[in-house]
Amino acid sequence: MGIFPGFGGWINQNIQQPLKTSKRSKNGKSSSVSEEDRYIQGPWYWDPDISPKEKAESMEIDHVKSMPLSATDPRYYDLDELVRQNRLWNSEKKHPWNGAPAKVKVKTKKGLCHLNIDFTLGSPPQSVSEMFTNPRNLMYFHSMGKYKYNWRTRLDTRATKVLKKDGPRQITEVEKVLRWKILGYNGTIPIHLIIDENHQKVTATYKKVKVKHMKVFEGSWKIQPLYVDQERLCKSRSRISEEQYKKCSGGKGRIGSKVTMEHIFEPSSLLNVPPVSWFIRGIAVKVTKALLQDLREYVITYNKTETVDPLVYAKIKESIQKEKETELKELED
């Protein structure tokens, strides 16, 4: 939750190119990959501090889910600070902070349904952005209820392809599948989107290429830092900068995320008549709320455990090793 020297060359080779899928078999030879595994092609960024040896060792790992990779370009944020924040969230047990469930306001006008969504999460903005866009099908949207025992997520990525990379801006084509189950009915909906992200501002807009049963399917999100310990540690409610927050909290202040989203959809013409349109809108709104709750539950569970993303784990391991080396050096002196 990273880049590495030379990634620009890799990404330039892949821009506007069709997805090519290959997988290393046990005997070291490449073989074709099923549709379910196409997402492993990227987009990916490596930890900029990773050595060639560590990178080579990571490339030998069987699955991309276990590699120290990121879908967000860390040239535009402080990776070390992000790692430090993750450690704070994992270690703070006396003052748990879970954030409130999402507030979803629904308004329908002339066939268009507008969802205005506000929620908070106990994780830094870059980490939340990573959860929104990471194509590894990690358990961010894993229902704690309906799908608990079959290891399936509500939202899976099937394929991704970078169309344009310009500084912090990245335009990616994404194919997903959404699973839903309501009142005894269930099904899947293929979703094909273009996502336009800004990794520095931590914002994005998206628009459909094709979404089943939808004439309009688009929206945006903005993720802002939330200084959850400001009142407790800084004794202040006034707006302050991240640097001021770090100083007044003695470096112990956790940074969460305030997420503002807008989602707009309209059922296709033949389905945009009552009572069918009511049913489709009901499913869309309910599934959206369920996805947001899945994400909230994931973050709460994550903060209660010591389990971290492979890239974050690698950085934490590195920082601990440096601390030990410093201590040893001081003892020798």
Side-chain angles (χ1 to χ4, degrees):
M1 309 176 194
I3 121 178
F4 59 99
F7 184 83
W10 182 92
I11 206 167
N12 288 334
Q13 292 173 7
N14 284 273
I15 289 175
Q16 300 291 2
Q17 296 297 320
L19 285 174
K20 295 181 181 180
T21 57
S22 62
K23 186 175 183 180
R24 188 176 297 277
S25 61
K26 291 182 179 180
N27 60 11
K29 295 180 180 180
S30 296
S31 59
S32 61
V33 178
S34 64
E35 288 290 302
E36 288 79 3
D37 290 326
R38 286 193 295 149
Y39 69 90
I40 69 173
Q41 291 299 306
W44 296 120
Y45 299 88
W46 289 83
D47 178 351
D49 297 327
I50 194 170
S51 68
K53 181 182 178 182
E54 290 171 322
K55 180 182 172 184
E57 290 174 351
S58 296
M59 294 295 288
E60 295 300 320
I61 296 175
D62 289 339
H63 203 282
V64 71
K65 284 186 180 181
S66 301
M67 293 183 187
L69 298 168
S70 168
T72 307
D73 190 340
R75 280 181 293 185
Y76 304 102
Y77 62 90
D78 188 337
L79 179 56
D80 290 329
E81 178 60 21
L82 180 60
V83 170
R84 195 183 72 82
Q85 276 295 321
N86 275 280
R87 293 178 73 177
L88 284 176
W89 280 104
N90 285 141
S91 62
E92 178 57 79
K93 307 300 180 185
K94 291 183 180 180
H95 302 279
W97 189 93
N98 296 327
K103 294 180 180 179
V104 182
K105 295 181 180 179
V106 183
K107 184 178 180 181
T108 303
K109 187 175 182 181
K110 295 182 179 180
L112 280 174
C113 188
H114 292 253
L115 271 62
N116 291 301
I117 304 165
D118 292 287
F119 62 100
T120 56
L121 291 171
S123 191
Q126 290 79 13
S127 292
V128 174
S129 177
E130 181 84 5
M131 294 174 197
F132 284 178
T133 59
N134 194 302
R136 286 187 284 189
N137 289 333
L138 302 177
M139 294 301 189
Y140 300 139
F141 299 102
H142 183 256
S143 169
M144 303 301 288
K146 296 184 180 69
Y147 298 111
K148 183 176 180 180
Y149 298 108
N150 59 18
W151 300 101
R152 301 174 73 189
T153 60
R154 294 186 200 268
L155 188 65
D156 279 347
T157 301
R158 294 305 192 202
T160 61
K161 180 173 65 175
V162 175
L163 302 180
K164 183 178 181 180
K165 173 67 176 172
D166 182 15
R169 187 186 182 197
Q170 179 174 296
I171 301 176
T172 310
E173 185 175 358
V174 181
E175 294 177 35
K176 294 178 176 286
V177 62
L178 174 67
R179 298 184 179 88
W180 61 271
K181 185 175 183 179
I182 296 176
L183 300 175
Y185 296 93
N186 63 80
T188 59
I189 301 174
I191 299 174
H192 191 175
L193 303 173
I194 299 293
I195 302 178
D196 189 343
E197 302 172 69
N198 188 307
H199 291 167
Q200 189 171 37
K201 296 180 179 179
V202 204
T203 60
T205 60
Y206 59 90
K207 194 169 185 177
K208 82 176 183 75
V209 175
K210 184 177 182 181
V211 179
K212 190 176 182 181
H213 304 316
M214 291 292 169
K215 179 181 179 181
V216 177
F217 192 93
E218 61 191 44
S220 63
W221 69 71
K222 178 173 66 173
I223 310 173
Q224 297 174 295
L226 185 64
Y227 305 138
V228 301
D229 295 314
Q230 180 179 339
E231 189 174 346
R232 180 172 65 88
L233 297 178
C234 299
K235 312 299 182 183
S236 168
R237 293 186 179 182
S238 303
R239 179 178 292 183
I240 58 177
S241 67
E242 184 174 340
E243 191 60 36
Q244 290 172 321
Y245 178 57
K246 188 175 181 180
K247 184 177 180 180
C248 68
S249 68
K252 297 180 180 179
R254 293 166 295 177
I255 298 178
S257 294
K258 179 183 178 181
V259 186
T260 304
M261 300 182 70
E262 181 181 25
H263 180 55
I264 304 170
F265 67 90
E266 180 183 359
S268 56
S269 300
L270 293 176
L271 301 176
N272 201 14
V273 291
V276 178
S277 59
W278 300 341
F279 181 69
I280 292 176
R281 289 193 190 101
I283 290 176
V285 173
K286 202 157 188 175
V287 169
T288 299
K289 290 180 178 180
L291 287 170
L292 296 173
Q293 183 59 22
D294 286 348
L295 192 61
R296 179 172 178 264
E297 290 178 3
Y298 170 84
V299 172
I300 292 172
T301 302
Y302 176 92
N303 288 340
K304 290 179 179 178
T305 67
E306 298 301 323
T307 304
V308 295
D309 181 271
L311 179 55
V312 173
Y313 173 77
K315 294 293 289 186
I316 291 175
K317 186 177 178 182
E318 178 189 348
S319 66
I320 292 173
Q321 183 61 35
K322 285 181 178 178
E323 288 173 5
K324 288 181 179 179
E325 290 174 358
T326 302
E327 289 175 3
L328 288 172
K329 188 175 180 181
E330 288 175 351
L331 288 172
E332 289 173 359
D333 293 340

PDB file of all heavy atoms in Angstrom, residues 53-75:
ATOM      1  N   LYS A  53      17.189  -8.342  -5.301  1.00  0.00           N
ATOM      2  CA  LYS A  53      17.119  -9.703  -4.771  1.00  0.00           C
ATOM      3  C   LYS A  53      15.749  -9.987  -4.163  1.00  0.00           C
ATOM      4  O   LYS A  53      15.143 -11.034  -4.417  1.00  0.00           O
ATOM      5  CB  LYS A  53      18.205  -9.912  -3.715  1.00  0.00           C
ATOM      6  CG  LYS A  53      18.221 -11.321  -3.131  1.00  0.00           C
ATOM      7  CD  LYS A  53      19.298 -11.457  -2.059  1.00  0.00           C
ATOM      8  CE  LYS A  53      19.267 -12.871  -1.448  1.00  0.00           C
ATOM      9  NZ  LYS A  53      20.287 -13.010  -0.376  1.00  0.00           N
ATOM     10  N   GLU A  54      15.244  -9.028  -3.356  1.00  0.00           N
ATOM     11  CA  GLU A  54      13.930  -9.200  -2.725  1.00  0.00           C
ATOM     12  C   GLU A  54      12.831  -9.241  -3.782  1.00  0.00           C
ATOM     13  O   GLU A  54      11.870 -10.010  -3.656  1.00  0.00           O
ATOM     14  CB  GLU A  54      13.681  -8.062  -1.748  1.00  0.00           C
ATOM     15  CG  GLU A  54      14.556  -8.111  -0.500  1.00  0.00           C
ATOM     16  CD  GLU A  54      14.430  -6.860   0.336  1.00  0.00           C
ATOM     17  OE1 GLU A  54      14.320  -5.757  -0.262  1.00  0.00           O
ATOM     18  OE2 GLU A  54      14.454  -6.972   1.568  1.00  0.00           O
ATOM     19  N   LYS A  55      12.994  -8.428  -4.818  1.00  0.00           N
ATOM     20  CA  LYS A  55      12.007  -8.432  -5.897  1.00  0.00           C
ATOM     21  C   LYS A  55      12.003  -9.780  -6.613  1.00  0.00           C
ATOM     22  O   LYS A  55      10.940 -10.345  -6.898  1.00  0.00           O
ATOM     23  CB  LYS A  55      12.317  -7.313  -6.892  1.00  0.00           C
ATOM     24  CG  LYS A  55      11.327  -7.260  -8.050  1.00  0.00           C
ATOM     25  CD  LYS A  55      11.723  -6.168  -9.035  1.00  0.00           C
ATOM     26  CE  LYS A  55      10.857  -6.239 -10.276  1.00  0.00           C
ATOM     27  NZ  LYS A  55      11.272  -5.266 -11.303  1.00  0.00           N
ATOM     28  N   ALA A  56      13.191 -10.298  -6.886  1.00  0.00           N
ATOM     29  CA  ALA A  56      13.297 -11.596  -7.562  1.00  0.00           C
ATOM     30  C   ALA A  56      12.672 -12.700  -6.714  1.00  0.00           C
ATOM     31  O   ALA A  56      11.972 -13.579  -7.237  1.00  0.00           O
ATOM     32  CB  ALA A  56      14.764 -11.918  -7.848  1.00  0.00           C
ATOM     33  N   GLU A  57      12.905 -12.643  -5.396  1.00  0.00           N
ATOM     34  CA  GLU A  57      12.325 -13.643  -4.498  1.00  0.00           C
ATOM     35  C   GLU A  57      10.801 -13.538  -4.482  1.00  0.00           C
ATOM     36  O   GLU A  57      10.101 -14.547  -4.457  1.00  0.00           O
ATOM     37  CB  GLU A  57      12.882 -13.458  -3.085  1.00  0.00           C
ATOM     38  CG  GLU A  57      14.348 -13.849  -2.952  1.00  0.00           C
ATOM     39  CD  GLU A  57      14.915 -13.510  -1.587  1.00  0.00           C
ATOM     40  OE1 GLU A  57      14.202 -12.811  -0.803  1.00  0.00           O
ATOM     41  OE2 GLU A  57      16.052 -13.941  -1.283  1.00  0.00           O
ATOM     42  N   SER A  58      10.294 -12.298  -4.505  1.00  0.00           N
ATOM     43  CA  SER A  58       8.847 -12.094  -4.513  1.00  0.00           C
ATOM     44  C   SER A  58       8.213 -12.632  -5.786  1.00  0.00           C
ATOM     45  O   SER A  58       7.091 -13.150  -5.775  1.00  0.00           O
ATOM     46  CB  SER A  58       8.521 -10.598  -4.366  1.00  0.00           C
ATOM     47  OG  SER A  58       8.945 -10.111  -3.123  1.00  0.00           O
ATOM     48  N   MET A  59       8.924 -12.505  -6.906  1.00  0.00           N
ATOM     49  CA  MET A  59       8.406 -12.976  -8.185  1.00  0.00           C
ATOM     50  C   MET A  59       8.241 -14.496  -8.223  1.00  0.00           C
ATOM     51  O   MET A  59       7.528 -15.031  -9.066  1.00  0.00           O
ATOM     52  CB  MET A  59       9.331 -12.527  -9.322  1.00  0.00           C
ATOM     53  CG  MET A  59       9.369 -11.030  -9.535  1.00  0.00           C
ATOM     54  SD  MET A  59       7.788 -10.349 -10.088  1.00  0.00           S
ATOM     55  CE  MET A  59       7.756 -10.974 -11.771  1.00  0.00           C
ATOM     56  N   GLU A  60       8.912 -15.180  -7.297  1.00  0.00           N
ATOM     57  CA  GLU A  60       8.807 -16.631  -7.245  1.00  0.00           C
ATOM     58  C   GLU A  60       7.591 -17.091  -6.451  1.00  0.00           C
ATOM     59  O   GLU A  60       7.259 -18.277  -6.432  1.00  0.00           O
ATOM     60  CB  GLU A  60      10.079 -17.226  -6.603  1.00  0.00           C
ATOM     61  CG  GLU A  60      11.346 -17.002  -7.421  1.00  0.00           C
ATOM     62  CD  GLU A  60      11.268 -17.620  -8.803  1.00  0.00           C
ATOM     63  OE1 GLU A  60      10.721 -18.744  -8.904  1.00  0.00           O
ATOM     64  OE2 GLU A  60      11.731 -16.998  -9.771  1.00  0.00           O
ATOM     65  N   ILE A  61       6.933 -16.154  -5.761  1.00  0.00           N
ATOM     66  CA  ILE A  61       5.741 -16.510  -4.989  1.00  0.00           C
ATOM     67  C   ILE A  61       4.652 -16.984  -5.948  1.00  0.00           C
ATOM     68  O   ILE A  61       4.466 -16.445  -7.033  1.00  0.00           O
ATOM     69  CB  ILE A  61       5.259 -15.299  -4.170  1.00  0.00           C
ATOM     70  CG1 ILE A  61       6.325 -14.914  -3.149  1.00  0.00           C
ATOM     71  CG2 ILE A  61       3.945 -15.601  -3.467  1.00  0.00           C
ATOM     72  CD1 ILE A  61       6.003 -13.650  -2.374  1.00  0.00           C
ATOM     73  N   ASP A  62       3.915 -17.986  -5.523  1.00  0.00           N
ATOM     74  CA  ASP A  62       2.925 -18.612  -6.403  1.00  0.00           C
ATOM     75  C   ASP A  62       1.805 -17.668  -6.835  1.00  0.00           C
ATOM     76  O   ASP A  62       1.326 -17.746  -7.949  1.00  0.00           O
ATOM     77  CB  ASP A  62       2.290 -19.828  -5.704  1.00  0.00           C
ATOM     78  CG  ASP A  62       3.269 -20.984  -5.587  1.00  0.00           C
ATOM     79  OD1 ASP A  62       4.235 -20.999  -6.370  1.00  0.00           O
ATOM     80  OD2 ASP A  62       3.058 -21.846  -4.726  1.00  0.00           O
ATOM     81  N   HIS A  63       1.368 -16.795  -5.938  1.00  0.00           N
ATOM     82  CA  HIS A  63       0.206 -15.983  -6.272  1.00  0.00           C
ATOM     83  C   HIS A  63       0.428 -14.520  -5.949  1.00  0.00           C
ATOM     84  O   HIS A  63       1.050 -14.171  -4.952  1.00  0.00           O
ATOM     85  CB  HIS A  63      -1.043 -16.485  -5.524  1.00  0.00           C
ATOM     86  CG  HIS A  63      -2.313 -16.089  -6.206  1.00  0.00           C
ATOM     87  ND1 HIS A  63      -2.840 -14.824  -6.113  1.00  0.00           N
ATOM     88  CD2 HIS A  63      -3.154 -16.790  -7.002  1.00  0.00           C
ATOM     89  CE1 HIS A  63      -3.954 -14.759  -6.818  1.00  0.00           C
ATOM     90  NE2 HIS A  63      -4.168 -15.930  -7.358  1.00  0.00           N
ATOM     91  N   VAL A  64      -0.118 -13.656  -6.796  1.00  0.00           N
ATOM     92  CA  VAL A  64       0.063 -12.220  -6.669  1.00  0.00           C
ATOM     93  C   VAL A  64      -0.526 -11.678  -5.366  1.00  0.00           C
ATOM     94  O   VAL A  64      -0.124 -10.639  -4.871  1.00  0.00           O
ATOM     95  CB  VAL A  64      -0.554 -11.495  -7.883  1.00  0.00           C
ATOM     96  CG1 VAL A  64      -2.064 -11.562  -7.846  1.00  0.00           C
ATOM     97  CG2 VAL A  64      -0.090 -10.045  -7.959  1.00  0.00           C
ATOM     98  N   LYS A  65      -1.477 -12.387  -4.776  1.00  0.00           N
ATOM     99  CA  LYS A  65      -2.071 -11.931  -3.514  1.00  0.00           C
ATOM    100  C   LYS A  65      -1.038 -11.860  -2.398  1.00  0.00           C
ATOM    101  O   LYS A  65      -1.209 -11.149  -1.425  1.00  0.00           O
ATOM    102  CB  LYS A  65      -3.215 -12.857  -3.104  1.00  0.00           C
ATOM    103  CG  LYS A  65      -4.495 -12.667  -3.893  1.00  0.00           C
ATOM    104  CD  LYS A  65      -5.612 -13.519  -3.325  1.00  0.00           C
ATOM    105  CE  LYS A  65      -6.900 -13.337  -4.117  1.00  0.00           C
ATOM    106  NZ  LYS A  65      -8.007 -14.134  -3.570  1.00  0.00           N
ATOM    107  N   SER A  66       0.024 -12.645  -2.520  1.00  0.00           N
ATOM    108  CA  SER A  66       1.041 -12.702  -1.471  1.00  0.00           C
ATOM    109  C   SER A  66       2.262 -11.837  -1.777  1.00  0.00           C
ATOM    110  O   SER A  66       3.204 -11.812  -0.991  1.00  0.00           O
ATOM    111  CB  SER A  66       1.491 -14.159  -1.276  1.00  0.00           C
ATOM    112  OG  SER A  66       0.410 -14.971  -0.916  1.00  0.00           O
ATOM    113  N   MET A  67       2.280 -11.158  -2.893  1.00  0.00           N
ATOM    114  CA  MET A  67       3.433 -10.344  -3.267  1.00  0.00           C
ATOM    115  C   MET A  67       3.339  -8.939  -2.666  1.00  0.00           C
ATOM    116  O   MET A  67       2.242  -8.419  -2.456  1.00  0.00           O
ATOM    117  CB  MET A  67       3.518 -10.220  -4.791  1.00  0.00           C
ATOM    118  CG  MET A  67       3.821 -11.515  -5.497  1.00  0.00           C
ATOM    119  SD  MET A  67       3.992 -11.256  -7.295  1.00  0.00           S
ATOM    120  CE  MET A  67       4.140 -12.952  -7.854  1.00  0.00           C
ATOM    121  N   PRO A  68       4.477  -8.312  -2.361  1.00  0.00           N
ATOM    122  CA  PRO A  68       4.474  -6.950  -1.804  1.00  0.00           C
ATOM    123  C   PRO A  68       4.221  -5.909  -2.896  1.00  0.00           C
ATOM    124  O   PRO A  68       5.096  -5.155  -3.295  1.00  0.00           O
ATOM    125  CB  PRO A  68       5.876  -6.817  -1.214  1.00  0.00           C
ATOM    126  CG  PRO A  68       6.717  -7.700  -2.071  1.00  0.00           C
ATOM    127  CD  PRO A  68       5.839  -8.869  -2.449  1.00  0.00           C
ATOM    128  N   LEU A  69       2.977  -5.887  -3.394  1.00  0.00           N
ATOM    129  CA  LEU A  69       2.611  -5.008  -4.498  1.00  0.00           C
ATOM    130  C   LEU A  69       1.481  -4.081  -4.092  1.00  0.00           C
ATOM    131  O   LEU A  69       0.729  -4.357  -3.166  1.00  0.00           O
ATOM    132  CB  LEU A  69       2.160  -5.843  -5.703  1.00  0.00           C
ATOM    133  CG  LEU A  69       3.189  -6.793  -6.308  1.00  0.00           C
ATOM    134  CD1 LEU A  69       2.508  -7.748  -7.279  1.00  0.00           C
ATOM    135  CD2 LEU A  69       4.278  -6.017  -7.010  1.00  0.00           C
ATOM    136  N   SER A  70       1.359  -2.991  -4.838  1.00  0.00           N
ATOM    137  CA  SER A  70       0.320  -2.009  -4.559  1.00  0.00           C
ATOM    138  C   SER A  70      -0.339  -1.573  -5.857  1.00  0.00           C
ATOM    139  O   SER A  70       0.285  -1.565  -6.913  1.00  0.00           O
ATOM    140  CB  SER A  70       0.941  -0.802  -3.860  1.00  0.00           C
ATOM    141  OG  SER A  70       0.035   0.264  -3.817  1.00  0.00           O
ATOM    142  N   ALA A  71      -1.613  -1.196  -5.770  1.00  0.00           N
ATOM    143  CA  ALA A  71      -2.313  -0.658  -6.938  1.00  0.00           C
ATOM    144  C   ALA A  71      -2.286   0.866  -6.945  1.00  0.00           C
ATOM    145  O   ALA A  71      -2.775   1.489  -7.879  1.00  0.00           O
ATOM    146  CB  ALA A  71      -3.755  -1.158  -6.946  1.00  0.00           C
ATOM    147  N   THR A  72      -1.702   1.469  -5.906  1.00  0.00           N
ATOM    148  CA  THR A  72      -1.635   2.920  -5.772  1.00  0.00           C
ATOM    149  C   THR A  72      -0.179   3.377  -5.830  1.00  0.00           C
ATOM    150  O   THR A  72       0.672   2.816  -5.158  1.00  0.00           O
ATOM    151  CB  THR A  72      -2.265   3.366  -4.439  1.00  0.00           C
ATOM    152  OG1 THR A  72      -3.580   2.821  -4.348  1.00  0.00           O
ATOM    153  CG2 THR A  72      -2.349   4.875  -4.361  1.00  0.00           C
ATOM    154  N   ASP A  73       0.093   4.390  -6.617  1.00  0.00           N
ATOM    155  CA  ASP A  73       1.458   4.859  -6.854  1.00  0.00           C
ATOM    156  C   ASP A  73       1.974   5.663  -5.662  1.00  0.00           C
ATOM    157  O   ASP A  73       1.503   6.775  -5.398  1.00  0.00           O
ATOM    158  CB  ASP A  73       1.462   5.738  -8.105  1.00  0.00           C
ATOM    159  CG  ASP A  73       2.861   6.080  -8.583  1.00  0.00           C
ATOM    160  OD1 ASP A  73       3.793   5.979  -7.762  1.00  0.00           O
ATOM    161  OD2 ASP A  73       3.017   6.439  -9.762  1.00  0.00           O
ATOM    162  N   PRO A  74       2.961   5.141  -4.895  1.00  0.00           N
ATOM    163  CA  PRO A  74       3.423   5.824  -3.686  1.00  0.00           C
ATOM    164  C   PRO A  74       4.413   6.957  -3.923  1.00  0.00           C
ATOM    165  O   PRO A  74       4.970   7.475  -2.968  1.00  0.00           O
ATOM    166  CB  PRO A  74       4.079   4.696  -2.888  1.00  0.00           C
ATOM    167  CG  PRO A  74       4.611   3.793  -3.919  1.00  0.00           C
ATOM    168  CD  PRO A  74       3.636   3.858  -5.056  1.00  0.00           C
ATOM    169  N   ARG A  75       4.620   7.335  -5.171  1.00  0.00           N
ATOM    170  CA  ARG A  75       5.399   8.547  -5.418  1.00  0.00           C
ATOM    171  C   ARG A  75       4.640   9.769  -4.895  1.00  0.00           C
ATOM    172  O   ARG A  75       5.215  10.832  -4.709  1.00  0.00           O
ATOM    173  CB  ARG A  75       5.662   8.723  -6.914  1.00  0.00           C
ATOM    174  CG  ARG A  75       6.802   7.881  -7.440  1.00  0.00           C
ATOM    175  CD  ARG A  75       7.020   8.115  -8.915  1.00  0.00           C
ATOM    176  NE  ARG A  75       5.909   7.647  -9.723  1.00  0.00           N
ATOM    177  CZ  ARG A  75       5.903   7.652 -11.061  1.00  0.00           C
ATOM    178  NH1 ARG A  75       6.944   8.121 -11.708  1.00  0.00           N
ATOM    179  NH2 ARG A  75       4.870   7.188 -11.726  1.00  0.00           N
TER     180      ARG A  75
END
